[in-house]
Amino acid sequence: MKKLSLLRLFSCLPLIAIIIPDVTEAMINRDFKLPFFHIITGAALIAMIITCTLIIRYLKKQQVQYQHS
């Protein structure tokens, strides 16, 4: 579970590194078009974060049920 938490953490860093420059450029330049690669990469990172979060919740729930038994 610790590995999943680290994976979730380290997948947030590239997502933030993509979002901040794009938002800044969009605020400065009205004609800025978001690169397709950034959209695909961001969506994949968000999907990875959601998947890791759901797996972590499931494993914690299983651990709590096992301890109560």
Side-chain angles (χ1 to χ4, degrees), residues 2 5 10-11 13 17 19-20 33 36 43 57-58 64 68:
K2 184 177 180 181
S5 298
F10 285 113
S11 59
L13 297 175
I19 290 175
I20 290 175
K33 292 184 180 178
F36 184 69
R57 281 189 185 164
Y58 175 76
V64 166
H68 287 293

Side-chain angles (χ1 to χ4, degrees), residues 25 33 37 45 50 56 69:
E25 183 67 28
K33 292 184 180 178
F37 179 74
L45 289 169
I50 290 170
I56 290 170
S69 297

Side-chain angles (χ1 to χ4, degrees), residues 29-48:
N29 184 3
R30 298 282 180 196
D31 297 328
F32 177 72
K33 292 184 180 178
L34 197 62
F36 184 69
F37 179 74
H38 288 193
I39 295 170
I40 296 299
T41 305
L45 289 169
I46 290 171
M48 185 184 301

